[in-house]
C-alpha cells in the first residue's frame, strides 16, 4: 500500500552488475535494501568522500570484489546500518599487497566493524577483526594466525622493519596474536601488541629452536615484556626494550635487557650489537653458562657518545679462556660501566688448582688495559708451567718450547701463587706488578753440589755430595718481560738455597746469584763448624731455563783456600764449574779426579 512499496531491480552501476531487493517508504525513503554487486573503485571513492577519507589511496584491487549485504535506511535515505559480506582476490591495502581477503562488515552509528577477516599475503595467513570510529578515525585491528612481519611493513613506519630486521623467520612464520591500534592521519599514534611463538628462528645469525614473546611496540619504542628463547644448549628468559629517536626510526637512543638462564656467549652480539661483541671479545667458552644479565645502553642521539651499565653473574663447569688464557669452570659476578669491566667475586679452575681474585679491564682494542689481583692455590706445577709458556708464546706469535727434563722432573709439584699486576690488554710482556710464589715437590731433585767439591766431600766423613730440596718460595716484582726476585729460598732435609736475580719471560733466560747452604738443616756444633763452607758456596746461575749454566762466584780453588784460611774469597777471581760448556779446570785442581758428569739442571 502506497507510500510503501517493494521492488526487485536488476541494473548496472558504475559498469558492474547490480541486483537489489528493496522495501521502502516512497515519501521518506526509509526502509531496507538487499543488494549483490561487484564494487568498482569509483564506489569506494564515493564512500570515501562521505567519510572524509581517501579510501582509493588506502584500498584498491585489480578485480572488483564481490559484495552482498543489507542496507537499513532512515528518513531521507540516511544510512542507519549496513551489513555486507566481502571477498576479493589480490588487493592493495595501504601499502601492503594481499593475495586475498574476505570479511563480514557492519556499519552503524559511525562505527565500522569487519569480522571474520581472512588475510593471505605471501606466507602469512591470518583471521581477524577491524574496528573503526568514523567520527575521529580511531581504529583497532586484531589478527591471529601465521604472520611474517615483513609482509605488513607498509602498515608501519621505519621503526617496524628496523625492529624485525634482526630476526630470520625463513623456516616458518611465527604463530601470533596481534593488536594494532591508532588513528588514521596520526602516524605516530600507532600501537602494537604481539604475542608470538616462532620455531626454528634466528636472531642476528644465532639459531633458536623456539622463541616465545609478548611485546608492545609503538613508534620510537619497543618493549619485549617477556621472552623465552630455547636452544639446544639451554633456555634463556627475560625482557628487552629498545627506544628510537623519532621521526627517524633508525636512530636508537636506549637499549635495556634483563635475562637469565643457560646459554653460551653467542646471543650477546645478537641482542646488543657491536657492544655485545665488545663485551664477549676477551672470552671463549666450550660449554653452557648459567647466568643473569641486567643492563642498559643509551645515547642522546645518533653519533653521540654511548654510555652503558651492565651487571652479570654466572657459573659454569666448562673450559673457557680469558684473553686466550685457558681456565676451567668459574663462578663470578661482574659489572661493566662504559669501557670499564670489573670481574669481582671471581673463582675458576687453573692448572688443576683454584684461582680466585678480581680482574678489571679499561678501554677497548689497542687502548685496552688490564689490572688483576689473583691467587692460585694447589695448582699442578708442570701444567701451570706448560700453560703459561704456551700462552706467552701464542701471544708473541711464537711456537711453544718443548718441555724440559727439569720441568718433567718437577711436574707433579704443587704451586701456590699470588700476583697483582697491571698492563696493556694486548701485550702480556708489558705487565708490571708484585707477587709471591711457593713450590712444593719431593721431585725438585738432587742438585749436584759444585761438581769437583762434591767429589772431595765424598772422600770425607761427611760423605755429602747432593743437596735435596722439597720447597721453594720467593717474592718478586713483575717488570714487563723481567721477573725480578728479591728473595728466593729453597729448603729441604739436607740444606737450603738462597737466591736473588731475574728470569726473562721472552727469552727464558736466568740471571741469579745463589748461596748454597748444605748444612742449614743440621743442628748444633756441626752447623757452626761448617758455616764457612756454607758462606763460600755462592753460585751464579745463567743461561736458559731449559739449559742453565752454573758458575762459582769464588771458584773451587778459592773455596778450598777459604776453608784453609787463605785468600779472601771476596778478592778471588770467579771460576766456572766443570760443565760441558765450561773451560778446563785450573792447574791447582788438575790433581783432583773429574766429577762423574755435569751437574743436572736445577
Amino acid at each position: 500500500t502506497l507510500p510503501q512499496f517493494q521492488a526487485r531491480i536488476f541494473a548496472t552501476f558504475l559498469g558492474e552488475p547490480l541486483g537489489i531487493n528493496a522495501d521502502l517508504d516512497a515519501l521518506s525513503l526509509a526502509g531496507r535494501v538487499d543488494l549483490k554487486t561487484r564494487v568498482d573503485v569509483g564506489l569506494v571513492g564515493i564512500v570515501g568522500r562521505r567519510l572524509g577519507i581517501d579510501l582509493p589511496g588506502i584500498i584498491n584491487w585489480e578485480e572488483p570484489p564481490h559484495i552482498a549485504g543489507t542496507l537499513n535506511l532512515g528518513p531521507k535515505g540516511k544510512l542507519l546500518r549496513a551489513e555486507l559480506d566481502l571477498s576479493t582476490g589480490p588487493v592493495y591495502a595501504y601499502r601492503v599487497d594481499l593475495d586475498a581477503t574476505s570479511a563480514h562488515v557492519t556499519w552503524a552509528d559511525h562505527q565500522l566493524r569487519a569480522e571474520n577477516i581472512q588475510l593471505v599475503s605471501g606466507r602469512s595467513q591470518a583471521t581477524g577483526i577491524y574496528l573503526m570510529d568514523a567520527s575521529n578515525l580511531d581504529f583497532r585491528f586484531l589478527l591471529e594466525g601465521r604472520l611474517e612481519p615483513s609482509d605488513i611493513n607498509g602498515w608501519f613506519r621505519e621503526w617496524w622493519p628496523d625492529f624485525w630486521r634482526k630476526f630470520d623467520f625463513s623456516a616458518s612464520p611465527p604463530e601470533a596474536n596481534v593488536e594494532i591500534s591508532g588513528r588514521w592521519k596520526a602516524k605516530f599514534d600507532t600501537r602494537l601488541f604481539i604475542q608470538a611463538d616462532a620455531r626454528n628462528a634466528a636472531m642476528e645469525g644465532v639459531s633458536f629452536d623456539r622463541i616465545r614473546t609478548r611485546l608492545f611496540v609503538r613508534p620510537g619504542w619497543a618493549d619485549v615484556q617477556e621472552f623465552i628463547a630455547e636452544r639446544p644448549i639451554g633456555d634463556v628468559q627475560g625482557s628487552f626494550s629498545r627506544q628510537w629517536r623519532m621521526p627517524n626510526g633508525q636512530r636508537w637512543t636506549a637499549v635495556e635487557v634483563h635475562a637469565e638462564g643457560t646459554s653460551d656467549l653467542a646471543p650477546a652480539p645478537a641482542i646488543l650489537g657491536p657492544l655485545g661483541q665488545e663485551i664477549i671479545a676477551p672470552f671463549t667458552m666450550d660449554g653452557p653458562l648459567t647466568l643473569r644479565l641486567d643492563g642498559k645502553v643509551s645515547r642522546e642521539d645518533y653519533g653521540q657518545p654511548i654510555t652503558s651499565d651492565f651487571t652479570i653473574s654466572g657459573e659454569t663447569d666448562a673450559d673457557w679462556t680469558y684473553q686466550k688464557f685457558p681456565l676451567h669452570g668459574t663462578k663470578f659476578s661482574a659489572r661493566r660501566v662504559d669501557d670499564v669491566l670489573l670481574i669481582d667475586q671471581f673463582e675458576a679452575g687453573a692448572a688443576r688448582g683454584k684461582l680466585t681474585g678480581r680482574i678489571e679491564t679499561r678501554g677497548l682494542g689497542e687502548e685496552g688495559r688490564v689490572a688483576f689481583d689473583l691467587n692460585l692455590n694447589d695448582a699442578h706445577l708442570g701444567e701451570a708451567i706448560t700453560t703459561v709458556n704456551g700462552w706467552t708464546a701464542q701471544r708473541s706469535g711464537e711456537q711453544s718450547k718443548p718441555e724440559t727434563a727439569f720441568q718433567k722432573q718437577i711436574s707433579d709439584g704443587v704451586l701456590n701463587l699470588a700476583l697483582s699486576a697491571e698492563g696493556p690488554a694486548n701485550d702480556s710482556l708489558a705487565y708490571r706488578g708484585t707477587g709471591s710464589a711457593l713450590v712444593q715437590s719431593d721431585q725438585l731433585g738432587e742438585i749436584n753440589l759444585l761438581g769437583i767439591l762434591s767429589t772431595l766431600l765424598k772422600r770425607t766423613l761427611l760423605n755429602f755430595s747432593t743437596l735435596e730440596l722439597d720447597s721453594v718460595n720467593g717474592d718478586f716484582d713483575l717488570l714487563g718481560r723481567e721477573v725480578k726476585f728479591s728473595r728466593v729460598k729453597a729448603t729441604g732435609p739436607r740444606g737450603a738455597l738462597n737466591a736473588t736475580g731475574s728470569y726473562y719471560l721472552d727469552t727464558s733466560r736466568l740471571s741469579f746469584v745463589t748461596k748454597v747452604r748444605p748444612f742449614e738443616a743440621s743442628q748444633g756444633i756441626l752447623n757452626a763448624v761448617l758455616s764457612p763452607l756454607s758462606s763460600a758456596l755462592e753460585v751464579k746461575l745463567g743461561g736458559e731455563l731449559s739449559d742453565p749454566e752454573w758458575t762459582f762466584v769464588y771458584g773451587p780453588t778459592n773455596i778450598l783456600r777459604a776453608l784453609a784460611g787463605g785468600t779472601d774469597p771476596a778478592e778471588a777471581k770467579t771460576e766456572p764449574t766443570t760443565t760441558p760448556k765450561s773451560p778446563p779446570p785450573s792447574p791447582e785442581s788438575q790433581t783432583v779426579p773429574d766429577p762423574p758428569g755435569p751437574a743436572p739442571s736445577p
Side-chain angles (χ1 to χ4, degrees), residues 94 139 156-159 181-191 217-221 245-249:
Y94 195 62
F139 71 89
F156 307 95
R157 294 185 61 82
E158 295 86 352
W159 55 269
S181 61
R183 175 174 293 184
W184 292 104
K185 299 183 179 181
K187 55 188 177 183
F188 294 121
D189 287 350
T190 305
R191 302 290 185 268
V217 184
R218 70 172 187 264
W221 180 261
R245 175 76 65 192
M246 301 305 292
N248 188 337

PDB file of all heavy atoms in Angstrom, residues 94 139 156-159 181-191 217-221 245-249:
ATOM      1  N   TYR A  94      46.668  -0.256   1.796  1.00  0.00           N
ATOM      2  CA  TYR A  94      47.529   0.694   2.488  1.00  0.00           C
ATOM      3  C   TYR A  94      49.001   0.258   2.461  1.00  0.00           C
ATOM      4  O   TYR A  94      49.588  -0.114   3.464  1.00  0.00           O
ATOM      5  CB  TYR A  94      47.065   0.900   3.922  1.00  0.00           C
ATOM      6  CG  TYR A  94      47.687   2.121   4.572  1.00  0.00           C
ATOM      7  CD1 TYR A  94      47.450   3.394   4.065  1.00  0.00           C
ATOM      8  CD2 TYR A  94      48.502   1.988   5.693  1.00  0.00           C
ATOM      9  CE1 TYR A  94      48.027   4.517   4.655  1.00  0.00           C
ATOM     10  CE2 TYR A  94      49.078   3.091   6.289  1.00  0.00           C
ATOM     11  CZ  TYR A  94      48.846   4.365   5.768  1.00  0.00           C
ATOM     12  OH  TYR A  94      49.419   5.466   6.357  1.00  0.00           O
ATOM     13  N   PHE A 139      41.140   3.518  15.061  1.00  0.00           N
ATOM     14  CA  PHE A 139      40.946   2.163  14.570  1.00  0.00           C
ATOM     15  C   PHE A 139      41.619   1.163  15.494  1.00  0.00           C
ATOM     16  O   PHE A 139      42.529   1.499  16.272  1.00  0.00           O
ATOM     17  CB  PHE A 139      41.480   2.015  13.139  1.00  0.00           C
ATOM     18  CG  PHE A 139      42.990   2.040  13.043  1.00  0.00           C
ATOM     19  CD1 PHE A 139      43.737   0.877  13.155  1.00  0.00           C
ATOM     20  CD2 PHE A 139      43.665   3.245  12.830  1.00  0.00           C
ATOM     21  CE1 PHE A 139      45.121   0.891  13.070  1.00  0.00           C
ATOM     22  CE2 PHE A 139      45.046   3.274  12.752  1.00  0.00           C
ATOM     23  CZ  PHE A 139      45.769   2.101  12.869  1.00  0.00           C
ATOM     24  N   PHE A 156      53.357   0.251   8.669  1.00  0.00           N
ATOM     25  CA  PHE A 156      54.080   0.926   9.740  1.00  0.00           C
ATOM     26  C   PHE A 156      55.206   1.777   9.146  1.00  0.00           C
ATOM     27  O   PHE A 156      55.561   1.644   7.984  1.00  0.00           O
ATOM     28  CB  PHE A 156      54.676  -0.103  10.714  1.00  0.00           C
ATOM     29  CG  PHE A 156      53.664  -1.082  11.237  1.00  0.00           C
ATOM     30  CD1 PHE A 156      53.491  -2.315  10.618  1.00  0.00           C
ATOM     31  CD2 PHE A 156      52.884  -0.770  12.327  1.00  0.00           C
ATOM     32  CE1 PHE A 156      52.560  -3.219  11.083  1.00  0.00           C
ATOM     33  CE2 PHE A 156      51.944  -1.675  12.800  1.00  0.00           C
ATOM     34  CZ  PHE A 156      51.772  -2.898  12.177  1.00  0.00           C
ATOM     35  N   ARG A 157      55.776   2.622   9.987  1.00  0.00           N
ATOM     36  CA  ARG A 157      56.901   3.418   9.557  1.00  0.00           C
ATOM     37  C   ARG A 157      58.202   2.648   9.758  1.00  0.00           C
ATOM     38  O   ARG A 157      58.195   1.441  10.028  1.00  0.00           O
ATOM     39  CB  ARG A 157      56.903   4.749  10.327  1.00  0.00           C
ATOM     40  CG  ARG A 157      55.689   5.633   9.974  1.00  0.00           C
ATOM     41  CD  ARG A 157      55.783   6.977  10.656  1.00  0.00           C
ATOM     42  NE  ARG A 157      56.982   7.712  10.246  1.00  0.00           N
ATOM     43  CZ  ARG A 157      57.056   8.419   9.120  1.00  0.00           C
ATOM     44  NH1 ARG A 157      56.022   8.485   8.294  1.00  0.00           N
ATOM     45  NH2 ARG A 157      58.158   9.072   8.817  1.00  0.00           N
ATOM     46  N   GLU A 158      59.346   3.356   9.695  1.00  0.00           N
ATOM     47  CA  GLU A 158      60.651   2.695   9.677  1.00  0.00           C
ATOM     48  C   GLU A 158      60.920   1.854  10.922  1.00  0.00           C
ATOM     49  O   GLU A 158      61.683   0.884  10.871  1.00  0.00           O
ATOM     50  CB  GLU A 158      61.768   3.741   9.539  1.00  0.00           C
ATOM     51  CG  GLU A 158      61.770   4.490   8.226  1.00  0.00           C
ATOM     52  CD  GLU A 158      60.847   5.697   8.259  1.00  0.00           C
ATOM     53  OE1 GLU A 158      60.099   5.846   9.258  1.00  0.00           O
ATOM     54  OE2 GLU A 158      60.863   6.475   7.296  1.00  0.00           O
ATOM     55  N   TRP A 159      60.308   2.215  12.050  1.00  0.00           N
ATOM     56  CA  TRP A 159      60.615   1.502  13.285  1.00  0.00           C
ATOM     57  C   TRP A 159      60.210   0.032  13.219  1.00  0.00           C
ATOM     58  O   TRP A 159      60.801  -0.816  13.882  1.00  0.00           O
ATOM     59  CB  TRP A 159      59.944   2.189  14.482  1.00  0.00           C
ATOM     60  CG  TRP A 159      58.465   2.360  14.352  1.00  0.00           C
ATOM     61  CD1 TRP A 159      57.803   3.417  13.826  1.00  0.00           C
ATOM     62  CD2 TRP A 159      57.461   1.413  14.748  1.00  0.00           C
ATOM     63  NE1 TRP A 159      56.449   3.213  13.867  1.00  0.00           N
ATOM     64  CE2 TRP A 159      56.205   1.986  14.438  1.00  0.00           C
ATOM     65  CE3 TRP A 159      57.486   0.153  15.335  1.00  0.00           C
ATOM     66  CZ2 TRP A 159      54.997   1.351  14.693  1.00  0.00           C
ATOM     67  CZ3 TRP A 159      56.291  -0.487  15.596  1.00  0.00           C
ATOM     68  CH2 TRP A 159      55.067   0.105  15.274  1.00  0.00           C
ATOM     69  N   SER A 181      46.493  -0.668  16.952  1.00  0.00           N
ATOM     70  CA  SER A 181      45.526   0.400  17.184  1.00  0.00           C
ATOM     71  C   SER A 181      46.179   1.742  16.903  1.00  0.00           C
ATOM     72  O   SER A 181      47.408   1.878  16.919  1.00  0.00           O
ATOM     73  CB  SER A 181      45.003   0.355  18.623  1.00  0.00           C
ATOM     74  OG  SER A 181      46.063   0.529  19.545  1.00  0.00           O
ATOM     75  N   GLY A 182      45.351   2.735  16.627  1.00  0.00           N
ATOM     76  CA  GLY A 182      45.869   4.059  16.326  1.00  0.00           C
ATOM     77  C   GLY A 182      44.783   4.948  15.772  1.00  0.00           C
ATOM     78  O   GLY A 182      43.595   4.740  16.008  1.00  0.00           O
ATOM     79  N   ARG A 183      45.214   5.965  15.018  1.00  0.00           N
ATOM     80  CA  ARG A 183      44.285   6.915  14.407  1.00  0.00           C
ATOM     81  C   ARG A 183      44.795   7.238  13.006  1.00  0.00           C
ATOM     82  O   ARG A 183      45.954   7.598  12.831  1.00  0.00           O
ATOM     83  CB  ARG A 183      44.164   8.168  15.243  1.00  0.00           C
ATOM     84  CG  ARG A 183      43.314   9.265  14.622  1.00  0.00           C
ATOM     85  CD  ARG A 183      43.114  10.432  15.563  1.00  0.00           C
ATOM     86  NE  ARG A 183      42.294  10.048  16.721  1.00  0.00           N
ATOM     87  CZ  ARG A 183      41.904  10.914  17.653  1.00  0.00           C
ATOM     88  NH1 ARG A 183      42.259  12.196  17.578  1.00  0.00           N
ATOM     89  NH2 ARG A 183      41.151  10.505  18.659  1.00  0.00           N
ATOM     90  N   TRP A 184      43.897   7.095  12.042  1.00  0.00           N
ATOM     91  CA  TRP A 184      44.266   7.448  10.675  1.00  0.00           C
ATOM     92  C   TRP A 184      44.659   8.923  10.619  1.00  0.00           C
ATOM     93  O   TRP A 184      44.072   9.771  11.286  1.00  0.00           O
ATOM     94  CB  TRP A 184      43.113   7.178   9.709  1.00  0.00           C
ATOM     95  CG  TRP A 184      42.807   5.720   9.541  1.00  0.00           C
ATOM     96  CD1 TRP A 184      41.766   5.034  10.071  1.00  0.00           C
ATOM     97  CD2 TRP A 184      43.570   4.776   8.786  1.00  0.00           C
ATOM     98  NE1 TRP A 184      41.819   3.716   9.706  1.00  0.00           N
ATOM     99  CE2 TRP A 184      42.922   3.526   8.911  1.00  0.00           C
ATOM    100  CE3 TRP A 184      44.741   4.863   8.030  1.00  0.00           C
ATOM    101  CZ2 TRP A 184      43.395   2.380   8.304  1.00  0.00           C
ATOM    102  CZ3 TRP A 184      45.210   3.716   7.421  1.00  0.00           C
ATOM    103  CH2 TRP A 184      44.555   2.497   7.555  1.00  0.00           C
ATOM    104  N   LYS A 185      45.681   9.208   9.818  1.00  0.00           N
ATOM    105  CA  LYS A 185      46.251  10.547   9.642  1.00  0.00           C
ATOM    106  C   LYS A 185      47.102  10.993  10.821  1.00  0.00           C
ATOM    107  O   LYS A 185      47.665  12.078  10.791  1.00  0.00           O
ATOM    108  CB  LYS A 185      45.167  11.607   9.375  1.00  0.00           C
ATOM    109  CG  LYS A 185      44.352  11.380   8.119  1.00  0.00           C
ATOM    110  CD  LYS A 185      43.365  12.507   7.918  1.00  0.00           C
ATOM    111  CE  LYS A 185      42.544  12.293   6.643  1.00  0.00           C
ATOM    112  NZ  LYS A 185      41.586  13.400   6.413  1.00  0.00           N
ATOM    113  N   ALA A 186      47.211  10.171  11.887  1.00  0.00           N
ATOM    114  CA  ALA A 186      48.098  10.472  13.022  1.00  0.00           C
ATOM    115  C   ALA A 186      49.137   9.358  13.071  1.00  0.00           C
ATOM    116  O   ALA A 186      48.996   8.387  13.816  1.00  0.00           O
ATOM    117  CB  ALA A 186      47.310  10.566  14.323  1.00  0.00           C
ATOM    118  N   LYS A 187      50.192   9.499  12.261  1.00  0.00           N
ATOM    119  CA  LYS A 187      51.109   8.386  12.006  1.00  0.00           C
ATOM    120  C   LYS A 187      51.898   7.937  13.238  1.00  0.00           C
ATOM    121  O   LYS A 187      52.380   6.807  13.290  1.00  0.00           O
ATOM    122  CB  LYS A 187      52.070   8.756  10.887  1.00  0.00           C
ATOM    123  CG  LYS A 187      52.847  10.040  11.137  1.00  0.00           C
ATOM    124  CD  LYS A 187      53.635  10.442   9.905  1.00  0.00           C
ATOM    125  CE  LYS A 187      54.374  11.762  10.112  1.00  0.00           C
ATOM    126  NZ  LYS A 187      55.077  12.185   8.882  1.00  0.00           N
ATOM    127  N   PHE A 188      52.055   8.804  14.242  1.00  0.00           N
ATOM    128  CA  PHE A 188      52.837   8.409  15.411  1.00  0.00           C
ATOM    129  C   PHE A 188      51.971   7.912  16.559  1.00  0.00           C
ATOM    130  O   PHE A 188      52.454   7.729  17.668  1.00  0.00           O
ATOM    131  CB  PHE A 188      53.702   9.584  15.895  1.00  0.00           C
ATOM    132  CG  PHE A 188      54.756   9.980  14.914  1.00  0.00           C
ATOM    133  CD1 PHE A 188      54.790  11.269  14.403  1.00  0.00           C
ATOM    134  CD2 PHE A 188      55.703   9.073  14.489  1.00  0.00           C
ATOM    135  CE1 PHE A 188      55.760  11.643  13.493  1.00  0.00           C
ATOM    136  CE2 PHE A 188      56.672   9.433  13.582  1.00  0.00           C
ATOM    137  CZ  PHE A 188      56.710  10.720  13.067  1.00  0.00           C
ATOM    138  N   ASP A 189      50.686   7.712  16.300  1.00  0.00           N
ATOM    139  CA  ASP A 189      49.788   7.220  17.344  1.00  0.00           C
ATOM    140  C   ASP A 189      49.577   5.707  17.276  1.00  0.00           C
ATOM    141  O   ASP A 189      48.804   5.155  18.058  1.00  0.00           O
ATOM    142  CB  ASP A 189      48.424   7.912  17.245  1.00  0.00           C
ATOM    143  CG  ASP A 189      48.481   9.357  17.712  1.00  0.00           C
ATOM    144  OD1 ASP A 189      49.521   9.729  18.283  1.00  0.00           O
ATOM    145  OD2 ASP A 189      47.503  10.098  17.505  1.00  0.00           O
ATOM    146  N   THR A 190      50.228   5.032  16.363  1.00  0.00           N
ATOM    147  CA  THR A 190      50.038   3.593  16.193  1.00  0.00           C
ATOM    148  C   THR A 190      50.633   2.831  17.372  1.00  0.00           C
ATOM    149  O   THR A 190      51.745   3.115  17.822  1.00  0.00           O
ATOM    150  CB  THR A 190      50.676   3.110  14.888  1.00  0.00           C
ATOM    151  OG1 THR A 190      50.157   3.864  13.809  1.00  0.00           O
ATOM    152  CG2 THR A 190      50.392   1.635  14.660  1.00  0.00           C
ATOM    153  N   ARG A 191      49.888   1.853  17.863  1.00  0.00           N
ATOM    154  CA  ARG A 191      50.338   0.987  18.958  1.00  0.00           C
ATOM    155  C   ARG A 191      50.176  -0.461  18.523  1.00  0.00           C
ATOM    156  O   ARG A 191      49.243  -0.809  17.802  1.00  0.00           O
ATOM    157  CB  ARG A 191      49.499   1.228  20.221  1.00  0.00           C
ATOM    158  CG  ARG A 191      49.532   2.668  20.724  1.00  0.00           C
ATOM    159  CD  ARG A 191      50.904   3.013  21.289  1.00  0.00           C
ATOM    160  NE  ARG A 191      50.913   4.337  21.872  1.00  0.00           N
ATOM    161  CZ  ARG A 191      51.241   5.437  21.216  1.00  0.00           C
ATOM    162  NH1 ARG A 191      51.570   5.360  19.921  1.00  0.00           N
ATOM    163  NH2 ARG A 191      51.253   6.601  21.813  1.00  0.00           N
ATOM    164  N   VAL A 217      54.832  -2.426  20.992  1.00  0.00           N
ATOM    165  CA  VAL A 217      55.624  -1.602  20.091  1.00  0.00           C
ATOM    166  C   VAL A 217      54.821  -0.371  19.718  1.00  0.00           C
ATOM    167  O   VAL A 217      53.620  -0.461  19.440  1.00  0.00           O
ATOM    168  CB  VAL A 217      56.010  -2.369  18.797  1.00  0.00           C
ATOM    169  CG1 VAL A 217      56.907  -1.521  17.926  1.00  0.00           C
ATOM    170  CG2 VAL A 217      56.681  -3.696  19.135  1.00  0.00           C
ATOM    171  N   ARG A 218      55.488   0.758  19.721  1.00  0.00           N
ATOM    172  CA  ARG A 218      54.909   1.988  19.183  1.00  0.00           C
ATOM    173  C   ARG A 218      56.041   2.744  18.492  1.00  0.00           C
ATOM    174  O   ARG A 218      57.221   2.397  18.693  1.00  0.00           O
ATOM    175  CB  ARG A 218      54.295   2.834  20.294  1.00  0.00           C
ATOM    176  CG  ARG A 218      55.297   3.466  21.241  1.00  0.00           C
ATOM    177  CD  ARG A 218      54.603   4.439  22.181  1.00  0.00           C
ATOM    178  NE  ARG A 218      55.545   5.186  22.998  1.00  0.00           N
ATOM    179  CZ  ARG A 218      55.907   4.863  24.226  1.00  0.00           C
ATOM    180  NH1 ARG A 218      55.404   3.780  24.783  1.00  0.00           N
ATOM    181  NH2 ARG A 218      56.763   5.610  24.897  1.00  0.00           N
ATOM    182  N   PRO A 219      55.738   3.734  17.693  1.00  0.00           N
ATOM    183  CA  PRO A 219      56.819   4.493  17.046  1.00  0.00           C
ATOM    184  C   PRO A 219      57.805   5.039  18.084  1.00  0.00           C
ATOM    185  O   PRO A 219      57.425   5.773  18.987  1.00  0.00           O
ATOM    186  CB  PRO A 219      56.082   5.622  16.316  1.00  0.00           C
ATOM    187  CG  PRO A 219      54.727   5.056  16.039  1.00  0.00           C
ATOM    188  CD  PRO A 219      54.413   4.194  17.223  1.00  0.00           C
ATOM    189  N   GLY A 220      59.047   4.623  17.970  1.00  0.00           N
ATOM    190  CA  GLY A 220      60.074   5.086  18.900  1.00  0.00           C
ATOM    191  C   GLY A 220      60.283   4.215  20.111  1.00  0.00           C
ATOM    192  O   GLY A 220      61.183   4.479  20.918  1.00  0.00           O
ATOM    193  N   TRP A 221      59.505   3.124  20.254  1.00  0.00           N
ATOM    194  CA  TRP A 221      59.639   2.313  21.469  1.00  0.00           C
ATOM    195  C   TRP A 221      59.202   0.887  21.197  1.00  0.00           C
ATOM    196  O   TRP A 221      58.144   0.653  20.617  1.00  0.00           O
ATOM    197  CB  TRP A 221      58.788   2.899  22.590  1.00  0.00           C
ATOM    198  CG  TRP A 221      58.871   2.131  23.875  1.00  0.00           C
ATOM    199  CD1 TRP A 221      57.994   1.209  24.344  1.00  0.00           C
ATOM    200  CD2 TRP A 221      59.906   2.214  24.857  1.00  0.00           C
ATOM    201  NE1 TRP A 221      58.404   0.709  25.555  1.00  0.00           N
ATOM    202  CE2 TRP A 221      59.583   1.320  25.893  1.00  0.00           C
ATOM    203  CE3 TRP A 221      61.078   2.964  24.956  1.00  0.00           C
ATOM    204  CZ2 TRP A 221      60.385   1.153  27.013  1.00  0.00           C
ATOM    205  CZ3 TRP A 221      61.880   2.803  26.082  1.00  0.00           C
ATOM    206  CH2 TRP A 221      61.534   1.911  27.089  1.00  0.00           C
ATOM    207  N   ARG A 245      65.022   7.507  18.371  1.00  0.00           N
ATOM    208  CA  ARG A 245      64.768   8.931  18.228  1.00  0.00           C
ATOM    209  C   ARG A 245      63.912   9.147  16.999  1.00  0.00           C
ATOM    210  O   ARG A 245      64.307   8.820  15.895  1.00  0.00           O
ATOM    211  CB  ARG A 245      66.093   9.697  18.080  1.00  0.00           C
ATOM    212  CG  ARG A 245      65.931  11.193  17.813  1.00  0.00           C
ATOM    213  CD  ARG A 245      65.537  11.927  19.083  1.00  0.00           C
ATOM    214  NE  ARG A 245      66.591  11.867  20.082  1.00  0.00           N
ATOM    215  CZ  ARG A 245      66.446  12.223  21.352  1.00  0.00           C
ATOM    216  NH1 ARG A 245      65.276  12.651  21.772  1.00  0.00           N
ATOM    217  NH2 ARG A 245      67.448  12.133  22.204  1.00  0.00           N
ATOM    218  N   MET A 246      62.710   9.652  17.201  1.00  0.00           N
ATOM    219  CA  MET A 246      61.795   9.888  16.097  1.00  0.00           C
ATOM    220  C   MET A 246      61.949  11.317  15.581  1.00  0.00           C
ATOM    221  O   MET A 246      62.390  12.195  16.316  1.00  0.00           O
ATOM    222  CB  MET A 246      60.355   9.624  16.540  1.00  0.00           C
ATOM    223  CG  MET A 246      60.125   8.210  17.042  1.00  0.00           C
ATOM    224  SD  MET A 246      60.609   6.931  15.876  1.00  0.00           S
ATOM    225  CE  MET A 246      59.388   7.172  14.600  1.00  0.00           C
ATOM    226  N   PRO A 247      61.660  11.615  14.275  1.00  0.00           N
ATOM    227  CA  PRO A 247      60.938  10.734  13.351  1.00  0.00           C
ATOM    228  C   PRO A 247      61.802   9.699  12.651  1.00  0.00           C
ATOM    229  O   PRO A 247      61.275   8.826  11.979  1.00  0.00           O
ATOM    230  CB  PRO A 247      60.362  11.719  12.337  1.00  0.00           C
ATOM    231  CG  PRO A 247      61.369  12.810  12.284  1.00  0.00           C
ATOM    232  CD  PRO A 247      61.882  12.949  13.684  1.00  0.00           C
ATOM    233  N   ASN A 248      63.139   9.776  12.770  1.00  0.00           N
ATOM    234  CA  ASN A 248      63.987   8.790  12.104  1.00  0.00           C
ATOM    235  C   ASN A 248      64.083   7.560  12.984  1.00  0.00           C
ATOM    236  O   ASN A 248      64.791   7.548  13.984  1.00  0.00           O
ATOM    237  CB  ASN A 248      65.380   9.380  11.847  1.00  0.00           C
ATOM    238  CG  ASN A 248      66.239   8.468  10.988  1.00  0.00           C
ATOM    239  OD1 ASN A 248      66.007   7.266  10.917  1.00  0.00           O
ATOM    240  ND2 ASN A 248      67.213   9.043  10.326  1.00  0.00           N
ATOM    241  N   GLY A 249      63.355   6.522  12.608  1.00  0.00           N
ATOM    242  CA  GLY A 249      63.274   5.340  13.457  1.00  0.00           C
ATOM    243  C   GLY A 249      64.535   4.522  13.530  1.00  0.00           C
ATOM    244  O   GLY A 249      64.601   3.555  14.279  1.00  0.00           O
TER     245      GLY A 249
END
